[in-house]
Amino acid sequence: MLLSYAFVYPTWTGYDEAQHVDMVYGLQHGAGWPAPGEKMIATGVAATSDDFDRGRYQDMFQSGGKRRGAAPFAEIDPTPRDQRRSFNALGGPKPVDDGRLSNQMVQHPPLIYAAGAVVLRALPGSDDWAYDQQVFVLRLLNILVVAPLPLLAWLAARRFGLGESLALAAAVLPLAIPGFTRVGATFNNDGILMLTTGGLTVVLAGVLRGDLRRRTALWAGLWLGLALLSKAFALTLPVMIVAAYLVGWRRRRASDPAEPGVRGWRRLWRAIVSLPWLPALLAVGLGLALGGWWWVRNYLLYDAVQPNGWATNPPRREPLLLPDSFLTWFWYFFRTMISRFWGGLGMFEPPQLSPIAIVLATVAVVGLSVLAVVGRRRAGRTDRQSLAAGVVVLLLPVAFAYLEVGQRSWAEYQRYTRGIAVQGRYLYLGLVGLGVVVALGLRRALPGRERLAPLILLVGALLMQGAALLAICSYYWLPRRVSFTPARTVDVVSAIGRWAPFPIAVTITVFVLAALLFAGTIAAAVVQARRQPAPAPQVPATPAPVRSGSRRGDGDAGVVAQHEPVRLGQGGRGHDLDVPADQ
C-alpha cells in the first residue's frame, strides 16, 4: 500500500515534501545546517516544486480549486518522462533570490536528512537522474523507515502479554489509516519519529510488565536518543519512560509478599528505596545524551528549544474562524484533527474521506480504547489497575502530541484568528501503542472469539483504503465533471502512469501486487478465523509463580518474567496466550 501511494501521489504532493527534499539536497552539496531564516530553497528544487506550491498547479492542489474549475492532474500533460532533468541541470544548489520565505525545516533535527543524503550519494550516478527519480528514492527510504510499524505493533502486543491473534490485530491498525499511508509513502521527517517512538514502545511494553533490567533500559535510551534526533514531539517521551517504570515497579511490588511488621515511615522508606531509580535514570540519561544535545544547541544559539524556522511570521493561508471565541476554535480543532488523522489526503482539505467513515472509525477506536482501560471483570483490583495504568502509558505519545498541537493552534488562533497547524499526522508517532490498546479492547469486545480480530480490522482497513483511494482518484485522476466507475479504472491508472517517474508498466505492477497481497492477507485471516480452537490445556488453580529473572525462548526480547500465572487459551478463547513478558 505504501508503494501504491508513492505512485498515486505525484512528486511534491507530500506534506512540505519540497522543503524536506531541499534539506537533503543541501547536505549533499555542502550547505550544512544554516540558522533559521538563512536556508533558501535550491534553484534546482524550486524549478519543479514551485508549480505545486505557488505556480500553475497551486490553485487545484493547495486551495481545492477543482471545485472552482481548476484542471486536475488527469487533464494536465506533465513533462515527458525522457525530458525530465536532474536537480543539477535545473539550476543546481544555488539558492533562489526572489524574496520568498526561507526553508523552515532547519528547525528540525538532521537525522533523516543526513540519511537521505547518504543514500543518494551511495547510488552511482544518482546526481544525473531525473528529479522525480531522486525524490522517489527518498520516498523509498521513508517507506523502509515506516514499514516496520506493523511488526513493532505485533512485538509490543506480545510483550504486553497478548496472544497471537490479538497481536496480529494490533499490527493491522496502521493499514486502516489512509492518512498514515500517504505520509509513509512520501518523504518527510514524520516517518523516522514513528519508527523510533514505536521501537521505544516495544521496549516499554516489557517494562510495564516488570522488566527493570539495565539492558532493557539501555535499549529504551537508544530509541529515545534517536527519537530526539527526529522531531520535537519526542521531547515528551521521557515522561512516558518514567511512567512506564513506575507502572512496572508497582506491578513487581504488588506480586511480592509484604514483609510482616513493616509499617509507617519504615515501609514508605523501603518503597522509595525500591523504586527503579537506576534503570529509569539510565534510560532517560542515555537518551538525552544521544539526542538531547540538539535541543540544548538550539537554546544556546537561538534562545529557543525549537526556533521559528522562518525567523519571521509568515502569511497564513488557513481558514479564518469567526466568531472569535474559544468554542469556535475548539470545534474546528476537534473535528479537523479527527478528519486529518484518518484522512489528510489533500492540501489542505480536498480530497476528503467520507465523514461517515471518519465518524465510524473514530467511534470504534475510542470505544475499544475505553474497553481496554476498563479491563477484565474477573481480574483482581491490582491487575485491573495495572492494566489501566499500562494502557494510559501506551497512549501517552498520542495524548501529548494532541495537547501540544492544541496548545500551539490555540496560541496561533489568538494571534491570527485562523486554524493553524492542525494536522492529524502528528499523532502517528503513537500508532504502535494505539494498536496494542485497540487489540486489548478487542479482547474484551470479542470474548472467546479473539481469532476474528485480525479479520475484522483487515476488512475495516479495506473499506477505509477503498474509500480513500476513491476520493483521491476522483479528485486528482479523473477529469472535471467525471464520476468514477469501474470502467474508469484504466483512465485513472493511465493518468497516474503519465506522471510517475518510471514507465507505466512499473505503476501497473505495483498496483496489481498491492491488490493481490491485500486479497491474500484477508484470505489468510479468513482461514485463521475459521480454524476451530483446540481445548484449552488444564492449568492448576494456583500455578507456581515464575521465578523472577528467568529467561525463556528469545532472551533478547528484553523482559523479565513476572510473578504471575501463565494463562493458556484464555478459557478456550481461540488459543490466545497471555505469555510472560520474556517470551
Side-chain angles (χ1 to χ4, degrees):
M1 289 301 299
L2 291 170
L3 282 172
S4 295
Y5 272 68
F7 285 94
V8 168
Y9 282 96
T11 306
W12 305 132
T13 53
Y15 290 106
D16 298 317
E17 191 167 33
Q19 286 74 20
H20 291 298
V21 171
D22 179 63
M23 298 306 299
V24 174
Y25 189 60
L27 288 176
Q28 280 185 279
H29 292 82
W33 209 261
E38 297 181 3
K39 175 69 172 77
M40 303 306 299
I41 195 168
T43 302
V45 175
T48 54
S49 65
D50 274 359
D51 284 340
F52 294 84
D53 187 57
R54 50 196 279 165
R56 52 180 172 165
Y57 312 142
Q58 186 271 336
D59 186 51
M60 187 273 296
F61 177 64
Q62 294 277 353
S63 307
K66 185 179 181 182
R67 297 173 178 175
R68 299 188 298 272
F73 298 139
E75 297 183 41
I76 300 172
D77 290 326
T79 302
R81 194 173 291 111
D82 58 359
Q83 297 179 25
R84 299 173 195 173
R85 297 185 292 169
S86 67
F87 289 130
N88 289 346
L90 289 168
K94 178 184 177 181
V96 298
D97 57 358
D98 54 6
R100 73 179 69 192
L101 288 171
S102 62
N103 189 339
Q104 76 275 23
M105 296 305 161
V106 294
Q107 66 184 331
H108 296 300
L111 180 59
I112 191 61
Y113 307 116
V118 169
V119 168
L120 285 175
R121 282 184 176 178
L123 296 173
S126 62
D127 279 348
D128 298 324
W129 294 355
Y131 74 92
D132 56 344
Q133 293 178 352
Q134 294 186 53
V135 174
F136 197 86
V137 169
L138 296 178
R139 287 186 171 191
L140 287 178
L141 171 63
N142 202 51
I143 288 173
L144 291 175
V145 166
V146 303
L149 255 67
L151 176 60
L152 294 178
W154 177 84
L155 282 169
R158 293 297 282 158
R159 289 165 62 81
F160 197 66
L162 296 184
E164 181 68 11
S165 294
L166 294 173
L168 289 172
V172 174
L173 182 65
L175 184 61
I177 305 173
F180 161 75
T181 329
R182 179 208 177 170
V183 171
T186 54
F187 184 66
N188 50 66
N189 62 351
D190 292 303
I192 190 67
L193 180 63
M194 299 177 212
L195 174 68
T196 52
T197 307
L200 177 62
T201 303
V202 171
V203 176
L204 296 184
V207 173
L208 290 168
R209 301 192 72 210
D211 177 12
L212 308 181
R213 290 178 298 172
R214 296 179 186 179
R215 183 178 69 180
T216 305
L218 289 174
W219 278 109
L222 175 62
W223 284 115
L224 173 61
L226 292 174
L228 288 171
L229 291 176
S230 304
K231 207 163 184 176
F233 286 106
L235 291 170
T236 59
L237 293 179
V239 178
M240 182 187 184
I241 293 177
V242 172
Y245 272 100
L246 288 175
V247 173
W249 165 81
R250 186 179 185 279
R251 184 173 186 135
R252 287 283 296 271
R253 187 171 175 81
S255 65
D256 292 330
E259 296 184 30
V262 179
R263 297 288 186 272
W265 287 103
R266 188 178 177 187
R267 183 176 182 180
L268 177 61
W269 173 249
R270 290 197 176 187
I272 294 175
V273 171
S274 69
L275 284 169
W277 297 101
L278 182 59
L281 288 173
L282 184 60
V284 175
L286 177 61
L288 293 177
L290 292 175
W293 61 269
W294 172 264
W295 308 101
V296 175
R297 162 199 175 271
N298 283 350
Y299 188 80
L300 294 176
L301 291 178
Y302 311 120
D303 200 28
V305 175
Q306 178 165 329
N308 181 345
W310 292 293
T312 186
N313 292 321
R316 299 299 185 176
R317 294 180 289 185
E318 290 87 345
L320 187 68
L321 304 180
L322 295 173
D324 184 359
S325 71
F326 174 81
L327 291 178
T328 301
W329 165 82
F330 181 77
W331 176 238
Y332 172 83
F333 174 79
F334 177 76
R335 60 186 174 86
T336 304
M337 282 292 286
I338 293 174
S339 174
R340 291 178 178 172
F341 174 84
W342 294 106
L345 306 177
M347 182 73 73
F348 294 95
E349 294 303 344
Q352 289 179 290
L353 200 61
S354 165
I356 296 176
I358 292 172
V359 171
L360 290 177
T362 303
V363 170
V365 168
V366 172
L368 291 172
S369 299
V370 171
L371 284 177
V373 173
V374 170
R376 296 165 291 177
R377 293 176 180 175
R378 289 179 291 180
R381 178 180 178 185
T382 301
D383 283 345
R384 289 198 305 269
Q385 291 176 345
S386 297
L387 180 63
V391 168
V392 170
V393 172
L394 291 172
L395 291 176
L396 281 181
V398 172
F400 280 137
Y402 189 89
L403 292 174
E404 288 179 75
V405 175
Q407 184 276 329
R408 179 190 172 188
S409 177
W410 170 243
E412 297 283 346
Y413 176 74
Q414 289 180 300
R415 176 179 297 182
Y416 299 107
T417 325
R418 295 180 181 272
I420 295 170
V422 182
Q423 297 290 346
R425 61 190 168 97
Y426 295 145
L427 307 185
Y428 295 159
L429 82 165
L431 279 184
V432 169
L434 183 61
V436 177
V437 173
V438 168
L440 274 169
L442 284 169
R443 182 170 72 172
R444 181 72 184 275
L446 300 170
R449 297 185 177 273
E450 288 90 344
R451 65 186 183 279
L452 297 175
L455 177 59
I456 292 173
L457 285 185
L458 278 170
V459 171
L462 177 62
L463 295 175
M464 293 292 286
Q465 293 288 1
L469 289 172
L470 176 61
I472 296 166
C473 293
S474 297
Y475 186 79
Y476 289 142
W477 300 114
L478 283 178
R480 288 164 287 186
R481 295 176 295 278
V482 174
S483 300
F484 179 83
T485 63
R488 293 284 181 180
T489 302
V490 175
D491 297 335
V492 168
V493 175
S494 176
I496 294 173
R498 291 200 308 272
W499 285 78
F502 307 107
I504 191 170
V506 178
T507 303
I508 294 173
T509 300
V510 169
F511 289 169
V512 171
L513 283 176
L516 291 176
L517 287 170
F518 211 128
T521 304
I522 291 181
V526 170
V527 172
Q528 176 181 318
R530 290 171 61 88
R531 188 175 298 153
Q532 293 298 320
Q538 297 296 319
V539 295
T542 308
V546 179
R547 183 165 52 87
S548 178
S550 65
R551 300 178 186 175
R552 293 183 253 171
D554 180 12
D556 255 351
V559 189
V560 172
Q562 301 304 300
H563 293 282
E564 61 180 42
V566 180
R567 295 177 291 279
L568 293 170
Q570 296 184 355
R573 291 183 283 174
H575 268 311
D576 281 339
L577 169 63
D578 281 347
V579 296
D582 65 336
Q583 291 293 52

